[in-house]
Amino acid sequence: MSHYHAVVWLDHNEAHIMHISPEDVETSVVKPATPHRNLQRKRGSVSGSRQPEDQHFYHEVVEAMSGAKEVLIVGPGQAKLELIKHIHAHDPKVADQVVGVETVDHPSDAQVVAFARKYFAAKDRMLSQ
């Protein structure tokens, strides 16, 4: 894959990984092996503990990011932060490729790509000054 930038949009149900070049976008979708369940137990539950994150899902997302030199991670909830924690714990070399983490709701893939292109253009302008 010859794309320099990638953007990952994810929640706990799926991840859309888009490798971006000026002329092209390559998209892949990763879904967890088991359907999403509520990760937080209700208050007053007997155990009061959280369900474990699906580490295999995060491994697959990181694998799908390979080839990109700079990665922007976006999403609506906590999954993007869990991915960052996973990267720092299991794939520390990939952590240097992550240039930003942003909160976005549930846009279309085209909207995510437009957002990422604007983000990377602004980042590149700032670095060239």
Side-chain angles (χ1 to χ4, degrees):
M1 207 171 291
S2 63
H3 295 97
Y4 188 81
H5 294 122
V7 59
V8 177
W9 179 94
L10 78 155
D11 62 14
H12 290 287
N13 296 313
E14 63 186 358
H16 294 238
I17 302 90
M18 291 158 268
H19 291 264
I20 304 169
S21 72
E23 313 80 35
D24 187 34
V25 176
E26 290 182 21
T27 303
S28 59
V29 177
V30 175
K31 295 190 180 218
T34 56
H36 172 67
R37 340 169 269 238
N38 287 334
L39 296 177
Q40 189 70 39
R41 297 219 184 232
K42 291 184 177 179
R43 271 180 119 174
S45 69
V46 176
S47 69
S49 63
R50 288 177 49 95
Q51 296 291 328
E53 293 289 331
D54 185 351
Q55 295 302 313
H56 181 69
F57 171 59
Y58 295 124
H59 279 300
E60 287 185 30
V61 172
V62 170
E63 195 172 295
M65 292 169 25
S66 69
K69 302 295 182 217
E70 293 184 337
V71 178
L72 173 63
I73 298 173
V74 299
Q78 294 296 315
K80 63 187 177 293
L81 302 176
E82 294 298 332
L83 176 61
I84 294 295
K85 288 179 192 175
H86 171 87
I87 289 171
H88 283 285
H90 301 283
D91 299 294
K93 291 180 183 178
V94 176
D96 294 336
Q97 298 167 343
V98 176
V99 296
V101 179
E102 297 286 332
T103 300
V104 298
D105 197 16
H106 289 83
S108 68
D109 285 354
Q111 290 171 319
V112 172
V113 169
F115 179 83
R117 283 190 168 137
K118 186 175 178 181
Y119 182 93
F120 287 122
K123 179 191 160 296
D124 292 344
R125 273 194 310 271
M126 288 177 60
L127 291 176
S128 66
Q129 292 180 358

